[in-house]
Amino acid sequence: MSLSTLNKSSIINDFDAIDDRDYVSTELSAAPQRPGDVLSHLLLAAVLSSKKFHKLLSSPSRLIIMRAKDDTMAHLLDSYLSEYDPCLTVQAYTEMSRSGGRFEPKGRDELRKLEYGRSVVLISQDPERILIPEALVNADAIIDVPAPNLDAVRKTISCVTGKRVRGLRQSDIEGLRTYDLTAAIRPGLSPGRCVANLRRAASKRSSCASDMVNVPTLEELALTKEVSDWLFGTLQFMKKVTNDEMNPSVLRYACFEGLPGTGKTTVAASLAKSGNWGFVSTSVGEWFAGSGGHLGDVIRAAQRFFDDIALAKGPVIGLLDEIDALPNRAVMEPKDSQFWTPVVTYVLTEIDRLRQSGKPVILVGATNHFDRLDAALVRPGRLEAKVSFVLPTLDDRRWLFQGYVGRMLSVDAIRTLARLAIGASPAQIKSWCLTAIATAETQHRGLSLRDLVDLVAPPNARSAEMDKTVAIHEAGHAIVAHDLGLPIEEISILSLGDVGGFVNTGPHERTILTRSEIERFGTVLLGGRAADIVLGRGANAGAASDLEAVNHLLRSAMLDLGLYGSIKTAKNVDSRNFRDGVTLATAIEIELNRLLERAIEIVTRRQRDISCLVEVLLPERVVSGERFHEILAGGSSQRSVCNLKHTRSIGRPTQ
């Protein structure tokens, strides 16, 4: 008979199903006094009559498997049954053993005792995973031991204290595990004190669960379109699985990756809440913080997480945060391999176990460093769906603003806000919109563009002269990049922390770096300095980061990439004699001057375009790639700079 055909609380093979109710006696005077023994006694009585129980355990050469609700209960049953009959071989297994970096199932040694006529009882909270397959196939009986219910807990307290229990309710034991019960019910305490202990433990458990009450649903979250599409598509699958309309195999495990603070953890919890699924979370850091940091302790902490998911009563989402803390075995130092390889292997094995269980489970990993992950962790069948939590693009920002305030502002106003919100996270955009709406409602008026502009791009403390200096510098970068064939995505003169302005070049065809490509990027980096020299007040300290970047670029090209003469790498190059009697410092300086002259030539030739761009940047502060091309088209058709001022200036927003 296959395991899939077994019914809970059943005796299989040559044992008949239990029809009578002649349970093991639960009279208080007859029951054991230790809390664990009492619980074991009562729970076994719930599934086996006294007659059947005795017959099962006293028959020679019987193999019995008991499935406990958790690892603590497995060990309690072991202790109780070992004292029941010293001739009985009883062993609880709650985790697999490690051998040579692999995890092996248990129970082989105990099965050998069957040859000598001994009966064997193997107990586990997950026998299909932890015990050897031979034990499951050849078992004479597989017994599901139920979790303690209210009646069992009440009788345990009465038996341990010798007094009747009053006032115990279901809510007092809700969510408690076996070790919570045995820690709360102690010999020498009064029944009232035991009940108080249980209530305190249940309250702490429920407070953890109540955290989900404050978790927003997906509809309440600010999400980029890519993330939103994946989440709501997954939510539809979850609902169909819950309603038995689809098999759980359609569910894909995922890896949430992206910058810190982009809401990966919150989104995982929100997905669980929106689907009315359970939620279990942990992190690799917690495995170390909650243990002594020893290999066995870390693996046991990981096991508790995977067991909580596998043994959950209903559909569940599991979140494994900080998965980049599990090192990539391909680049691991040999000295670290002995510790980390078993941990990584165990996690991979447990992911496979969840996948193969056929249960309604979605496992989500979260990381800020996707490139550091072990390839086996994110291969198909494991955390296969990569969901990127990145800062919103211009289209994403437009989509987000449209969702929050699109009914209150014009299309042009939404476009303006999307331009100005460069670098903002979805959560920040949501906060701005809700704050602006609240401000307008407090003042009993409609929402205006100005309400949001003041939040998204508040006036900075820079002078008008400084703003123009920054605009000239960034316009120089943009025009030089455009002239050399690089697409422009956004140009900004907004002051964001230490950054006074920037130019984002959009995606372009990826090629293997050549000397000409190095020089193209180097020229773009010097475009801002060229504009400072030709159109501004001269070279200034604002180009410091540009100079560092271009120096690094050339140094790498000369010493590491072999693109300037010698193909010796940095380790074999004497910096005092780089090539043909020229030092490395001199060689870099020659190239820097040549690239700067090239940038100055472009800036000088396209002064009109730079001036047009500066005149638009000063009032608008952020220019998109689309707007950039509009400006260049206006300049090339001989329109005057003044005619460009029909654009939507945030100083005087058009409603």
Side-chain angles (χ1 to χ4, degrees):
M1 183 181 293
S2 67
L3 291 177
S4 61
T5 64
L6 300 181
N7 295 320
K8 287 189 175 182
S9 305
S10 64
I11 305 301
I12 62 170
N13 295 348
D14 60 343
F15 284 87
D16 298 327
I18 300 169
D19 295 321
D20 60 82
R21 305 297 293 175
D22 181 22
Y23 290 149
V24 177
S25 172
T26 57
E27 292 296 326
L28 298 184
S29 60
Q33 299 301 305
R34 289 182 301 187
D37 287 345
V38 175
L39 274 176
S40 300
H41 178 86
L42 292 170
L43 297 180
L44 288 172
V47 292
L48 290 172
S49 69
S50 176
K51 180 180 177 181
K52 294 287 186 180
F53 185 72
H54 179 73
K55 178 182 178 183
L56 183 63
L57 297 183
S58 62
S59 299
S61 196
R62 296 295 182 189
L63 174 58
I64 304 145
I65 293 177
M66 291 187 177
R67 184 185 288 107
K69 288 304 178 182
D70 56 39
D71 53 353
T72 304
M73 179 52 69
H75 289 296
L76 292 180
L77 290 169
D78 181 350
S79 174
Y80 175 68
L81 291 174
S82 295
E83 294 183 4
Y84 178 86
D85 183 354
C87 295
L88 194 65
T89 297
V90 182
Q91 183 63 55
Y93 286 118
T94 57
E95 59 184 81
M96 291 187 288
S97 60
R98 183 172 65 89
S99 175
R102 296 185 308 169
F103 289 89
E104 298 181 350
K106 309 295 282 290
R108 197 171 304 279
D109 291 340
E110 285 73 23
L111 258 61
R112 294 193 182 101
K113 297 180 180 180
L114 293 171
E115 301 175 15
Y116 302 97
R118 296 281 294 273
S119 286
V120 175
V121 179
L122 297 178
I123 310 169
S124 176
Q125 81 280 15
D126 192 353
E128 288 82 1
R129 176 178 65 94
I130 296 174
L131 301 182
I132 58 173
E134 298 92 321
L136 297 163
V137 171
N138 295 291
D140 297 299
I142 297 181
I143 304 171
D144 277 295
V145 181
N149 59 18
L150 185 62
D151 185 57
V153 174
R154 183 182 290 112
K155 288 179 178 177
T156 299
I157 296 174
S158 295
C159 187
V160 171
T161 63
K163 299 178 181 178
R164 190 168 298 280
V165 181
R166 300 183 184 279
L168 184 67
R169 301 184 296 270
Q170 181 63 36
S171 59
D172 297 331
I173 63 169
E174 201 70 49
L176 296 185
R177 301 191 65 167
T178 304
Y179 59 77
D180 293 315
L181 301 178
T182 55
I185 304 170
R186 311 168 202 161
L189 297 184
S190 67
R193 188 60 186 169
C194 292
V195 171
N197 289 342
L198 290 170
R199 285 175 180 166
R200 183 170 62 252
S203 175
K204 290 182 179 179
R205 293 279 181 193
S206 64
S207 66
C208 294
S210 67
D211 289 344
M212 289 295 288
V213 174
N214 300 319
V215 171
T217 61
L218 292 181
E219 289 80 1
E220 299 174 278
L221 289 178
L223 304 165
T224 61
K225 194 171 189 307
E226 177 189 351
V227 174
S228 177
D229 288 346
W230 187 87
L231 288 170
F232 282 98
T234 299
L235 183 61
Q236 291 304 310
F237 283 126
M238 290 166 59
K239 290 179 178 178
K240 289 181 180 296
V241 168
T242 302
N243 296 330
D244 293 328
E245 298 174 16
M246 297 185 93
N247 189 283
S249 61
V250 302
L251 301 170
R252 297 180 68 199
Y253 293 1
C255 180
F256 290 177
E257 64 94 16
L259 297 172
T262 48
K264 298 183 289 294
T265 303
T266 299
V267 165
S270 295
L271 179 60
K273 181 173 183 177
S274 297
N276 198 28
W277 281 31
F279 183 65
V280 179
S281 67
T282 189
S283 69
V284 178
E286 286 182 22
W287 296 350
F288 282 85
S291 66
H294 301 293
L295 177 59
D297 294 334
V298 172
I299 290 178
R300 275 188 286 275
Q303 178 193 353
R304 283 192 291 272
F305 166 68
F306 286 106
D307 279 352
D308 284 344
I309 297 174
L311 302 175
K313 294 180 180 178
V316 64
I317 289 179
L319 172 66
L320 176 52
D321 210 348
E322 302 170 3
I323 56 172
D324 49 276
L326 295 173
N328 185 347
R329 292 170 297 174
V331 296
M332 193 186 304
E333 293 289 339
K335 61 184 177 63
D336 298 326
S337 179
Q338 187 174 3
F339 180 91
W340 279 111
T341 296
V343 177
V344 176
T345 302
Y346 180 78
V347 171
L348 297 177
T349 302
E350 289 298 283
I351 293 175
D352 292 341
R353 171 172 71 109
L354 290 178
R355 173 66 75 185
Q356 295 162 8
S357 70
K359 295 181 178 179
V361 170
I362 296 178
L363 184 65
V364 175
T367 177
N368 300 334
H369 306 284
F370 186 84
D371 57 319
R372 299 181 187 176
L373 299 182
D374 193 296
L377 194 60
V378 291
R379 70 161 174 77
R382 291 186 177 139
L383 305 181
E384 57 184 323
K386 179 182 177 183
V387 185
S388 297
F389 286 67
V390 296
L391 292 178
T393 63
L394 177 65
D395 287 341
D396 282 331
R397 299 195 298 270
R398 188 181 300 148
W399 184 71
L400 287 165
F401 278 114
Q402 180 66 37
Y404 288 115
V405 296
R407 292 175 296 176
M408 308 175 197
L409 297 177
S410 67
V411 173
D412 284 348
I414 296 298
R415 288 175 179 167
T416 298
L417 291 170
R419 285 202 317 269
L420 292 176
I422 187 169
S425 67
Q428 181 64 76
I429 291 174
K430 176 182 179 180
S431 176
W432 284 331
C433 292
L434 296 182
T435 300
I437 292 171
T439 299
E441 289 178 348
T442 301
Q443 298 176 8
H444 305 290
R445 58 175 176 79
L447 181 70
S448 70
L449 177 58
R450 171 56 58 191
D451 293 325
L452 273 160
V453 167
D454 288 344
L455 295 171
V456 175
N460 57 53
R462 292 193 309 223
S463 65
E465 184 179 11
M466 179 60 74
D467 269 349
K468 186 169 184 179
T469 297
V470 173
I472 290 172
H473 184 91
E474 301 306 333
H477 281 305
I479 293 298
V480 171
H482 175 72
D483 193 83
L484 295 176
L486 292 175
I488 301 301
E489 190 170 87
E490 287 170 320
I491 311 164
S492 168
I493 62 169
L494 289 175
S495 181
L496 302 173
D498 295 333
V499 179
F502 55 86
V503 175
N504 280 341
T505 57
H508 54 89
E509 184 180 356
R510 288 186 173 273
T511 60
I512 297 176
L513 277 179
T514 62
R515 179 166 171 171
S516 62
E517 284 292 300
I518 291 286
E519 293 176 355
R520 178 165 72 148
F521 292 131
T523 304
V524 172
L525 287 169
L526 292 171
R529 190 176 188 86
D532 296 336
I533 294 170
V534 175
L535 298 172
R537 295 180 296 168
N540 58 69
S545 61
D546 298 335
L547 296 181
E548 179 59 35
V550 72
N551 271 270
H552 176 77
L553 186 67
L554 288 171
R555 187 163 53 246
S556 178
M558 291 180 181
L559 295 182
D560 301 322
L561 305 180
L563 300 179
Y564 283 79
S566 174
I567 59 174
K568 292 180 180 179
T569 60
K571 292 181 179 179
N572 298 316
V573 172
D574 183 349
S575 61
R576 292 169 296 179
N577 185 15
F578 172 66
R579 185 181 71 246
D580 299 331
V582 178
T583 65
L584 176 64
T586 302
I588 290 177
E589 185 175 12
I590 291 171
E591 290 303 315
L592 286 172
N593 289 333
R594 189 171 66 82
L595 296 182
L596 180 58
E597 288 175 6
R598 184 185 183 189
I600 288 175
E601 182 276 321
I602 296 172
V603 167
T604 302
R605 173 164 45 86
R606 303 196 63 167
Q607 288 186 60
R608 178 180 179 80
D609 288 334
I610 293 176
S611 296
C612 289
L613 182 54
V614 168
E615 289 298 324
V616 176
L617 269 172
L618 287 173
E620 294 194 9
R621 301 160 79 183
V622 175
V623 168
S624 67
E626 181 183 353
R627 184 79 179 101
F628 174 73
H629 287 288
E630 288 179 8
I631 296 165
L632 294 190
S636 62
S637 62
Q638 303 301 315
R639 294 180 186 175
S640 69
V641 172
C642 293
N643 287 339
L644 291 172
K645 292 185 178 179
H646 74 280
T647 57
R648 296 174 295 279
S649 167
I650 65 166
R652 294 180 296 279
T654 301
Q655 294 291 332

